């Protein structure tokens, strides 16, 4: 895969790259090629410059303390991200855009070349994975940057002139890609060679249910409530998946968990950082997030821990979903790309929206699904009894269930139309004194100066 520092639109086809003739004729070559795409996604999500941390700081999940070691590699410090002071020059996550487009480039290469191969044993699997990964990459691009360039080929001469378009066009492509993936992928999980695997800790490549789970999420974002409900329902009913039991909720993110629909391999550096083991912690969970947990919530006990802030000498709250914090310890944890708890909350929200539109029978379904998540967390049943009250309760539950995962909180606030109000409140409370000034255009990240040189329009407002 090309370096992330190269312009994704002007990337030529090197003679010895995966685009070389014959490179797609062998199953043993295509699996590792797509594995590289998964690796690039993990690089974008984890670590001190990963999207999990930066989007948590940018929203209302975490509070930053100035770290003299944080402003590295031309990127802003945690405090600059936290106070919304990112620019095209020092933009947070400067590798997100090129890495995600490199994933798309790999997928496009597979989609262009694999159909012409006659000797592949697992052609449908590779095509299904490519459609799935392209959709997932566009999901992140749209939700971080807004307008995106729709790239569906490896022809760099054509790609260099493709403009950014509105998110609706990208969502249309995502849905088409995911429906293709559903038609091509097996319900079984496959390994890098294309063979079936039944190991619980080997759900690192998408199967048909992973494509349905992502389609349920995308449908929720586009307001297609019945489609969201239908796909989440099919995933939930598959007996291979189960919520981690209440008694062992602390093990939800271990590789043995049946809650994972699609998991990312969590290498040592990522595990140590995500668990707060290294570097020494300086960013803490926000007071507003902490106060959103109800008394006796088992997630607060098992997924949050206290540690010493090495800059201030004060005790702070940190995410503790990942448990492997010892160097050299076996890889016990997995990064959640898709997990069952989210599907329950998707089905609940879709049902509440359908009830609001007149399908009264869906109201009980929404309550049941919400209570499933609450019960697993050791909480009592919801008191919400109307569609609007349920939608508020579900949003709150998504906050305490999915915190510090995949940018869910920022994306949820935007898609529900609550982002500006919450950020204005943040500006007057938690961020008071930081010089933070929220304006609506900051809901999306700017392109870096290097990305913008490709002739793309800058994110509006920057």
């Amino acid at each position: 895969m090309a370096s992330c520092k190269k312009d994704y639109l002007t990337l030529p086809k090197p003679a010895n790259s995966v685009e070389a003739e014959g490179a797609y004729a062998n199953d043993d070559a295509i699996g590792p090629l797509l594995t590289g795409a998964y690796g690039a996604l993990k690089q974008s999500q984890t670590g001190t410059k990963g999207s999990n941390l930066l989007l948590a700081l940018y929203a209302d999940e975490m509070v930053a303390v100035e770290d003299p070691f944080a402003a590295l590699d031309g990127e802003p410090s945690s405090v600059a991200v936290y106070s919304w002071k990112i620019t095209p020059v020092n933009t947070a996550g400067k590798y997100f855009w090129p890495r995600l487009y490199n994933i798309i480039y790999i997928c496009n290469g597979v989609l262009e070349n694999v159909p012409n191969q006659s000797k592949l044993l697992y052609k449908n699997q590779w095509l299904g994975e490519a459609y799935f990964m392209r959709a997932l990459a566009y999901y992140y691009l749209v939700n971080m940057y807004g307008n995106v360039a729709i790239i569906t080929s490896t022809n760099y001469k054509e790609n260099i002139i493709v403009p950014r378009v509105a998110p609706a066009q990208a969502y249309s492509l995502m849905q088409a890609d995911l429906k293709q993936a559903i038609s091509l992928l097996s319900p079984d999980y496959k390994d890098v060679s294309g063979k079936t695997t039944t190991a619980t800790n080997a759900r690192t490549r998408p199967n048909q249910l992973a494509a349905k789970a992502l389609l349920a999420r995308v449908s929720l974002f586009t307001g297609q409530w019945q489609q969201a409900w239908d796909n989440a329902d099919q995933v939930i009913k598959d007996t291979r998946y189960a919520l981690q039991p209440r008694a062992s909720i602390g093990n939800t993110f271990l590789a043995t968990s049946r809650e994972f629909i699609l998991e990312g391999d969590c290498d040592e550096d990522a595990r140590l950082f995500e668990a707060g083991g290294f570097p020494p912690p300086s960013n803490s969970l926000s007071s507003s997030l902490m106060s959103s947990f109800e008394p006796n919530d088992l997630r607060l006990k098992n997924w949050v821990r206290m540690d010493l802030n090495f800059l201030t000498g004060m005790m702070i709250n940190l995410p503790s979903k990942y448990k492997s914090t010892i160097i050299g310890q076996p890889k016990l944890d997995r990064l959640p790309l898709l997990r069952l708890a989210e599907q329950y909350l998707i089905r609940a929200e879709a049902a509440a929206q359908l009830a609001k539109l007149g399908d009264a029978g869906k109201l009980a379904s929404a309550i049941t699904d919400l209570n499933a998540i609450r019960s697993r967390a050791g909480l009592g049943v919801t008191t919400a009894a109307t569609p609007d009250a349920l939608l508020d309760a579900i949003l709150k539950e998504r906050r305490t269930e999915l915190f510090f995962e995949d940018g869910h909180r920022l994306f949820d606030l935007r898609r529900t139309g609550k982002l500006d109000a919450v950020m204005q409140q943040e500006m007057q409370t938690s961020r008071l004194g930081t010089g933070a000034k929220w304006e609506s255009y900051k809901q999306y990240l700017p392109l870096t100066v290097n990305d913008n040189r490709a002739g793309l329009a800058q994110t509006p407002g920057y």
Side-chain angles (χ1 to χ4, degrees):
M1 187 175 67
S3 167
C4 296
K5 295 184 178 180
K6 290 185 178 181
D7 187 335
Y8 81 98
L9 286 175
T10 59
L11 197 67
K13 298 181 180 180
N16 296 321
S17 76
V18 296
E19 296 295 332
E21 184 176 355
Y24 296 92
N26 189 325
D27 286 291
D28 291 336
I30 303 174
L33 173 65
L34 287 165
T35 298
Y38 305 138
L41 179 61
K42 182 186 70 175
Q43 284 182 312
S44 295
Q45 292 176 313
T46 60
T48 58
K49 302 299 181 183
S51 59
N52 282 351
L53 174 61
L54 294 180
L55 296 179
L57 286 167
Y58 202 70
D60 61 347
E61 292 188 299
M62 298 198 76
V63 176
V65 174
E66 189 62 76
D67 181 349
F69 306 105
L72 303 174
D73 205 19
E75 296 192 46
S77 67
S78 294
V79 168
V81 175
Y82 177 65
S83 55
W84 311 313
K85 295 178 181 177
I86 60 174
T87 70
V89 176
N90 76 344
T91 185
K94 66 180 182 179
Y95 296 140
F96 296 161
W97 179 276
R99 274 189 181 141
L100 289 167
Y101 272 105
N102 272 316
I103 291 170
I104 290 168
Y105 184 85
I106 291 171
C107 294
N108 288 343
V110 171
L111 295 174
E112 286 178 354
N113 291 278
V114 166
N116 301 323
Q117 305 301 323
S118 59
K119 298 181 180 180
L120 294 175
L121 296 176
Y122 306 111
K123 180 184 294 188
N124 284 356
Q125 177 67 24
W126 308 135
L127 290 173
E129 287 191 30
Y131 278 119
F132 174 90
M133 281 301 295
R134 187 167 73 177
L136 185 59
Y138 274 117
Y139 164 80
Y140 289 120
L141 282 165
V142 162
N143 280 286
M144 285 194 279
Y145 295 96
N147 297 343
V148 297
I150 303 295
I151 305 296
T152 57
S153 79
T154 58
N155 188 322
Y156 69 93
K157 291 182 180 179
E158 294 178 356
N159 293 344
I160 198 171
I161 60 173
V162 174
R164 293 175 74 176
V165 297
Q169 294 188 46
Y171 276 115
S172 293
L173 177 63
M174 285 180 236
Q175 297 215 31
D177 279 357
L178 289 170
K179 289 173 182 178
Q180 286 276 29
I182 290 168
S183 71
L184 292 163
L185 290 169
S186 166
D188 298 324
Y189 287 94
K190 304 293 184 176
D191 62 19
V192 68
S193 65
K195 297 181 176 63
T196 297
T197 176
T198 58
T200 305
N201 63 350
R203 297 173 177 178
T204 56
R205 310 185 80 87
N207 68 348
Q208 186 182 79
L209 276 298
K212 290 181 178 181
L214 185 54
L215 182 57
R217 181 193 291 178
V218 167
S219 300
L220 196 73
F221 276 59
T222 54
Q224 294 169 281
W225 313 124
Q226 190 63 57
Q227 183 169 269
W229 195 95
D230 289 341
N231 281 278
D233 182 63
Q234 292 175 54
V235 175
I236 292 168
K237 288 179 177 176
D238 191 301
T239 57
R240 287 173 296 176
Y241 310 116
L243 293 175
Q244 186 70 24
R246 181 192 306 174
S248 58
I249 191 173
N251 297 336
T252 299
F253 301 92
L254 296 185
T256 54
S257 174
R258 290 174 58 201
E259 190 159 330
F260 287 119
I261 302 163
L262 185 65
E263 60 196 31
D265 186 23
C266 196
D267 65 24
E268 189 165 87
D269 289 343
R271 288 184 293 123
L272 290 174
F273 174 75
E274 301 291 350
F278 183 84
S282 59
N283 304 308
S284 63
L285 294 176
S286 68
S287 58
S288 65
L289 172 58
M290 294 300 295
S291 64
S292 69
F293 287 98
E294 297 173 41
N296 303 316
D297 192 325
L298 294 175
R299 293 168 298 196
L300 182 60
K301 178 181 178 180
N302 289 275
W303 295 354
V304 176
R305 69 181 179 87
M306 295 192 73
D307 205 339
L308 182 69
N309 184 318
F310 82 111
L311 293 173
T312 66
M314 299 176 63
M315 297 301 291
I316 56 175
N317 293 299
L318 295 168
S320 186
K321 290 184 170 181
Y322 311 106
K323 308 303 181 184
S324 304
T325 59
I326 301 173
I327 294 175
Q329 184 171 330
K331 296 179 180 180
L332 303 177
D333 305 300
R334 291 291 188 269
L335 298 174
L337 296 177
L338 294 164
R339 64 183 180 97
L340 192 62
E342 183 200 358
Q343 296 299 305
Y344 272 94
L345 293 169
I346 288 173
R347 192 171 70 173
E349 185 174 341
Q353 292 285 4
L354 289 168
K356 192 173 180 179
L357 293 175
D359 187 349
K362 284 292 194 294
L363 191 64
S365 170
I367 293 172
T368 298
D369 284 341
L370 177 57
N371 283 337
I373 300 303
R374 290 180 58 80
S375 176
R376 193 269 292 271
L379 301 175
V381 298
T382 183
T383 58
T386 66
D388 284 333
L390 274 168
L391 289 171
D392 288 340
I394 291 164
L395 182 62
K396 176 264 173 193
E397 207 66 37
R398 286 180 66 91
R399 185 179 196 190
T400 50
E401 178 69 29
L402 303 173
F403 72 93
F404 206 64
E405 289 183 44
D406 245 7
H408 279 299
R409 176 62 175 171
L410 179 65
F411 302 164
D412 283 346
L413 288 174
R414 185 195 299 121
R415 70 179 177 82
T416 57
K418 300 179 185 295
L419 182 61
D420 282 344
V422 170
M423 294 298 101
Q424 289 293 336
Q425 180 68 18
E426 280 280 304
M427 191 169 67
Q428 300 301 321
T429 53
S430 300
R431 286 167 165 86
L432 190 64
T434 66
K437 182 180 180 182
W438 178 260
E439 297 179 78
S440 291
Y441 74 85
K442 293 182 179 180
Q443 64 182 293
Y444 294 115
L445 300 177
L447 299 183
T448 67
V449 171
N450 287 338
D451 289 324
N452 195 230
R453 285 185 190 137
L456 294 171
Q458 181 56 271
T459 304
Y462 291 95

